[in-house]
Amino acid sequence: MAAHPTTLWLGRVDVWTNTHINLRRYMLPVIRVEVCASCKGYKLLCGLPRCPILERARFVREVELRVGGEVYGATPPSTLVGEHGYPHVRVMFNVPPGETGDSARIHDDPPSWWGRAGLEDIIRFRATMLYSTVRVDARRPADLYSREIPLAAVSQRPTEAEVSVARRPTARVTFNMRELPIGPTAPASRVRIVGNPRVPRALERLIWDDVPAGEAVGELYARGVDVYVIQRALAMGLLGAPRRRRLVPTRWAITAVDVMVGDMLMRRVRRMPWLDHVMAGSLTYLANEFFVMLVPGPWRALWVELWSPAVFSAAGNYITIVNREDVRGRRRSMDGGYEAARLAVLEGLAGLGRQATAIIVRRIRPEYYVGVGNWHVRETVRRLMGGLKRYQSVDEASRSHELGQVALRHLREHGGTPLDAFL
Amino acid sequence: MAKLSVVYADAREFLYIVDSISVVVEESAFAVKPEGMTLRALDPSRTAMVDLFIPRDAFDEYPDIGEEVRMGVNFKDLKKILRRVRKGDRVAMEIDEGKLKVKLLGRAVRSVTLPIIETAAEELPTPRVVFTALIRTASDVVAQALKDADAVSDSVKFEALDDALYIRASSDKGEVEVKLDREGEAVYEYDVKEPASSMFSTEYLVDISSKASRISDIATIELATAKPISMSFEIPAGGRLTYFVAPRVE
C-alpha cells in the first residue's frame, strides 16, 4: 500500500505509516481520529506516554522488509484463533522471520517475560513476528490437523516452519485495550512444519483419547502441563470428545481454561480449613499494581479494578470495576482479568492448604497504554501469592499497603455482618 | 438400629422444599423428631439461616420414635434424584444400615440409595430478634421485587412504614423501587408497630424468594431496624420454611 495522506473513512483512518487505526465500538480506550490526525505522532495529544502507532509501525517495518514470498523461522510457539466471524475464524500461525531456537522462543513466552520484559519489549516481541493466517471452519478442527499446525502450537520448544504468504503482509494498529498488539498479517498459501514438535506426553495421550474437554483440562493441569499450553490445546481443538471438538477463539479459550482449572481448585480449597490469620501482599508489573488480602472465612472473592483516567479519557477519576464471587462460586459477571487472578489466588490457597475470603485489587496506571493480554495478571498474582505476609488484623494489613485502603473501603461496602451477632 | 421410614405425600413439593433449602446449604441433616421433621442450618458465610419444620401429621407415614434420628444428606445429590419425580408420586426416605434410601412411589417403586453424610450436630438457636413489622403478602410479588432490585444492585433495602412496604435498590446502574401498599390487593396482613428499615445483600434473598415461592403463595416478612429479616413460607400440608438473613451495615 502506498503512503498517502490522512483520510477519514467509516471511522478508520489510514495514516502515512501504512497502518490503520481501527475504531471499534469496543471498550475504551479508543483515540479519536481527529486527535491522531492533528498530532501525527509528534505532539502526543492523546495523553499516552508514547505514540502506539509509531511504536508498532517501527517494528512492523522491520518485519516487512525481511518478508519475501517465503519465510523460514520457528514458532515460539505462538498461535491465535480469532473470534471475528465465528464459526468461520482466522487461525494465525506466527513465526519470527529467520529466528530459531531460544531467540525465537522469547517472542511468545509469558512466564519468562515476567519481571524482565517491559511493555515496549513485549510489543516488539509480538510485532516482529509474521502472522500468517489461515481461514478455517471452527466446527472442523480436523482440517487444521492435517497441516500439523496444532501440534506445533502445543510444542514445548520452538518448532521450525516454512510459511509462504499469498501477498505482502499488512499491519494494523488498533487503539484499544482488548486487542493484542500484533505484527503484520498475511494470508498463508502454505504452512509446512519442518521441525519436530515436542508435545507434553499427557497431552499427546489426550489428543487421541475420548475425554470430555473439561476433564482433559483438569487432567493436564494436574499432571503439571503449563496453562499456556493447555490454552493453546483447547483453542486448536485438540481436546474434547473427538466428534464434538471445536476450534475455540484464543480469548475465549484462555478464560475457559482459567475457569475450568480455577473451579477444580476451588472445589478442593472449599474442603480445607479456614486460614487462621490475615495475610496480604502487593506487587507491580507493567504498570499494573496488585494487592491481595486473604481473610479467615469461606472461599469467596471481591475483585476491584481501578483504571487510571488517562488510560480511558482525558478527565475524570479512576474508573472502578467490581466483580464478586459468592460462597457458591457464582460471579457477578464473567471477567477474564478476574478469572486469571482468581486462578493464581486459588493456586496459592491450595498450596497453603487453607481456604479464605480473598480481596484482590488491581490498579492500572496510565503507563499501561496498550493491553498485552491477561497473562501478566496471572503471573503477577502468582508471584504475589508466594510472598504473602501475616498480619494481626484486616486494618493492619490494609494500612501496610497502598491499595489496602481501597480494599478496605470496598470490603465495608460489600461485606455483611454474620448472623452470629443475633443468635 | 431398626429401619426407619418417613413418607411424604407429594414428591414434587418435597423437591421444592429441598431445592429451597439448598439455596443456603449444600449439606445438612434432617432431624426426625417425635413431633416432626426439622432442619436448621447456617450457610458457610454465616449470614443466612434456613429453618424447616414439618409436623408429623403432614406425613403419610411417620415412625414412632422416642429420640431424634438425623439423616445427613447432600442436597445436590438428593435434588438430582427428586428432579425425576412424576406427577402423583409419593416419596419415602428410609434409613437402613447406615444408608439413606430414597424411594419414589408411583406406578413403580424406584429407589436410590445414598450414603449418609456425617454432619456436625451443631445445635443452632434461631436469631433472637424483636420484630417490629410483619407483612404477609404474595410470595411471587416478593420474588419479583427482589429480582428487580438485583438487576441494579447487589444490596436491597426493606423499609416498612405506616402506609406501605418499600423494597428499594440503587447503584450507578439505576434505581428500583417496589411499593407494597398496606391496602393493596397483594397484602394480606400488615402490622407495623414501629417503622423498620434494613439493608440486605441480594445474594441469598433473590434465590430464597424465587425458589420458596413455588412452595407457598404467601410469604411472611418480619423486620426490625438494623436486624435480620425473617422470611417465612407456609407449607400447604402443614409446617413452615423460614429464612433469616443478616443485615448489611449501611
Side-chain angles (χ1 to χ4, degrees):
Chain A
M1 216 186 292
H4 51 82
T6 308
T7 50
L8 285 169
W9 176 71
L10 282 180
R12 275 185 169 184
V13 61
D14 286 0
V15 186
W16 74 103
T17 49
N18 188 17
T19 56
H20 305 286
I21 305 165
N22 192 356
L23 297 175
R24 295 262 175 90
R25 57 198 177 286
Y26 283 157
M27 221 169 122
L28 299 163
V30 171
I31 291 132
R32 278 170 43 232
V33 175
E34 297 84 345
V35 173
C36 291
S38 62
C39 163
K40 300 189 183 61
Y42 180 64
K43 301 174 187 162
L44 296 176
L45 295 177
C46 54
L48 299 178
R50 280 158 207 261
C51 175
I53 308 182
L54 291 186
E55 192 73 12
R56 188 108 55 93
R58 215 172 70 220
F59 305 127
V60 163
R61 261 281 142 74
E62 264 176 57
V63 178
E64 284 174 1
L65 293 176
R66 277 191 276 166
V67 173
E70 193 163 281
V71 175
Y72 187 86
T75 186
S78 172
T79 53
L80 290 171
V81 178
E83 59 185 37
H84 194 73
Y86 185 90
H88 302 283
V89 294
R90 269 201 317 179
V91 171
M92 299 190 188
F93 181 77
N94 319 325
V95 287
E99 288 181 68
T100 56
D102 284 343
S103 97
R105 154 150 275 174
I106 194 72
H107 284 271
D108 196 343
D109 191 9
S112 81
W113 282 347
W114 195 91
R116 280 184 273 178
L119 205 56
E120 277 80 37
D121 298 322
I122 291 158
I123 297 172
R124 177 163 49 88
F125 291 144
R126 289 244 173 87
T128 51
M129 285 192 288
L130 170 71
Y131 288 61
S132 66
T133 65
V134 182
R135 285 235 167 247
V136 193
D137 185 335
R139 294 164 296 191
R140 298 178 53 185
D143 293 357
L144 264 193
Y145 293 177
S146 57
R147 301 193 219 204
E148 287 188 45
I149 292 175
L151 289 183
V154 294
S155 172
Q156 284 168 305
R157 60 178 183 205
T159 308
E160 290 168 34
E162 279 171 21
V163 177
S164 312
V165 292
R167 58 171 167 78
R168 259 197 74 191
T170 54
R172 228 168 57 152
V173 175
T174 56
F175 276 71
N176 67 63
M177 277 286 173
R178 284 180 53 179
E179 209 124 333
L180 301 169
I182 63 171
T185 61
S189 51
R190 198 176 62 113
V191 175
R192 200 166 78 88
I193 307 295
V194 182
N196 271 324
R198 191 195 284 165
V199 181
R201 189 155 305 157
L203 175 57
E204 198 162 13
R205 208 171 48 72
L206 285 166
I207 292 173
W208 302 108
D209 214 342
D210 183 358
V211 178
E215 265 172 57
V217 168
E219 190 177 327
L220 288 171
Y221 181 81
R223 288 177 182 274
V225 176
D226 195 20
V227 288
Y228 301 95
V229 175
I230 306 178
Q231 288 167 3
R232 283 194 293 267
L234 185 68
M236 284 289 156
L238 293 175
L239 302 179
R243 283 169 174 282
R244 293 167 51 201
R245 289 185 188 182
R246 296 282 184 278
L247 294 183
V248 182
T250 297
R251 190 144 63 203
W252 310 353
I254 289 171
T255 298
V257 170
D258 282 339
V259 170
M260 286 189 273
V261 175
D263 283 353
M264 183 181 86
L265 288 170
M266 176 187 69
R267 283 192 289 275
R268 256 172 56 204
V269 163
R270 264 208 307 223
R271 294 177 184 277
M272 294 173 176
W274 287 10
L275 192 73
D276 45 21
H277 44 262
V278 177
M279 294 183 92
S282 47
L283 196 60
T284 301
Y285 174 54
L286 294 181
N288 277 252
E289 302 167 78
F290 287 90
F291 169 73
V292 174
M293 176 157 63
L294 302 176
V295 182
W299 162 257
R300 56 179 162 187
L302 173 64
W303 163 258
V304 182
E305 208 173 54
L306 299 168
W307 287 85
S308 144
V311 175
F312 280 117
S313 63
N317 293 320
Y318 269 87
I319 293 159
T320 312
I321 295 167
V322 176
N323 194 13
R324 294 204 307 142
E325 175 175 340
D326 71 14
V327 283
R328 275 170 308 145
R330 284 182 318 185
R331 287 78 148 169
R332 201 104 197 129
S333 65
M334 182 47 70
D335 173 336
Y338 165 67
E339 297 300 330
R342 169 183 189 262
L343 172 67
V345 170
L346 283 163
E347 281 176 339
L349 284 170
L352 290 170
R354 290 285 184 276
Q355 66 170 316
T357 295
I359 298 101
I360 314 163
V361 184
R362 174 189 183 192
R363 182 162 70 186
I364 299 110
R365 292 201 303 246
E367 299 92 280
Y368 187 70
Y369 60 85
V370 53
V372 291
N374 68 14
W375 57 270
H376 71 89
V377 174
R378 196 177 302 106
E379 295 301 317
T380 306
V381 178
R382 274 177 168 172
R383 282 158 178 87
L384 187 161
M385 289 298 289
L388 293 175
K389 288 204 182 71
R390 290 177 65 146
Y391 293 95
Q392 294 299 320
S393 65
V394 170
D395 284 304
E396 192 202 353
S398 313
R399 272 199 311 274
S400 312
H401 298 267
E402 209 191 322
L403 291 176
Q405 294 307 316
V406 178
L408 200 58
R409 203 171 60 237
H410 283 274
L411 198 61
R412 289 220 177 95
E413 232 165 80
H414 291 277
T417 38
L419 263 181
D420 299 59
F422 305 96
L423 294 180
Chain B
M1 192 176 63
K3 209 163 94 171
L4 176 142
S5 162
V6 294
V7 178
Y8 195 74
D10 184 342
R12 168 132 336 144
E13 192 173 283
F14 196 71
L15 163 66
Y16 293 156
I17 293 172
V18 168
D19 198 21
S20 305
I21 294 169
S22 73
V23 171
V24 173
V25 280
E26 277 173 22
E27 286 177 359
S28 188
F30 290 110
V32 182
K33 295 180 180 171
E35 67 274 20
M37 194 162 86
T38 68
L39 182 147
R40 188 177 290 167
L42 273 174
D43 81 294
S45 67
R46 302 181 77 88
T47 53
M49 179 187 271
V50 56
D51 186 24
L52 170 77
F53 174 69
I54 307 177
R56 61 178 300 149
D57 304 342
F59 291 92
D60 279 10
E61 265 177 50
Y62 200 82
D64 278 312
I65 45 168
E67 59 185 27
E68 74 167 67
V69 179
R70 295 174 69 85
M71 293 194 291
V73 287
N74 179 305
F75 293 114
K76 207 168 150 192
D77 297 342
L78 186 57
K79 262 187 342 197
K80 258 188 204 154
I81 296 162
L82 291 174
R83 208 167 273 147
R84 297 202 301 270
V85 298
R86 304 285 298 268
K87 206 174 172 196
D89 281 1
R90 299 190 302 158
V91 59
M93 293 208 293
E94 290 176 3
I95 295 184
D96 195 10
E97 287 164 3
K99 299 265 191 211
L100 176 68
K101 198 180 257 184
V102 181
K103 286 185 179 170
L104 301 177
L105 314 169
R107 286 188 300 170
V109 177
R110 297 182 282 163
S111 27
V112 181
T113 308
L114 295 173
I116 288 195
I117 309 278
E118 291 296 326
T119 53
E122 188 186 4
E123 273 304 316
L124 289 166
T126 52
R128 285 176 314 224
V129 180
V130 182
F131 293 111
T132 62
L134 180 148
I135 299 99
R136 258 160 64 85
T137 180
S139 58
D140 58 330
V141 170
V142 179
Q144 202 55 57
L146 283 161
K147 272 187 194 152
D148 294 345
D150 193 45
V152 299
S153 176
D154 51 21
S155 60
V156 59
K157 191 170 188 176
F158 279 72
E159 211 167 358
L161 303 179
D162 288 332
D163 65 321
L165 170 71
Y166 294 89
I167 299 174
R168 292 196 178 106
S170 70
S171 74
D172 48 13
K173 285 185 210 156
E175 279 179 38
V176 166
E177 182 191 278
V178 176
K179 182 181 177 189
L180 287 169
D181 202 288
R182 70 178 301 163
E183 307 299 340
E185 59 171 322
V187 175
Y188 312 122
E189 193 179 335
Y190 198 91
D191 179 13
V192 173
K193 295 189 182 70
E194 205 177 289
S197 148
S198 280
M199 179 101 114
F200 306 96
S201 157
T202 56
E203 188 173 80
Y204 288 113
L205 287 176
V206 173
D207 284 0
I208 287 171
S209 58
S210 67
K211 297 224 153 125
S213 63
R214 293 181 301 177
I215 302 170
S216 171
D217 296 338
I218 299 171
T220 306
I221 295 170
E222 287 182 277
L223 292 164
T225 297
K227 293 281 161 41
I229 186 174
S230 152
M231 209 180 265
S232 167
F233 302 86
E234 268 157 51
I235 298 164
R240 57 172 48 233
L241 182 63
T242 306
Y243 295 89
F244 298 94
V245 175
R248 215 177 223 194
V249 250
E250 281 179 62

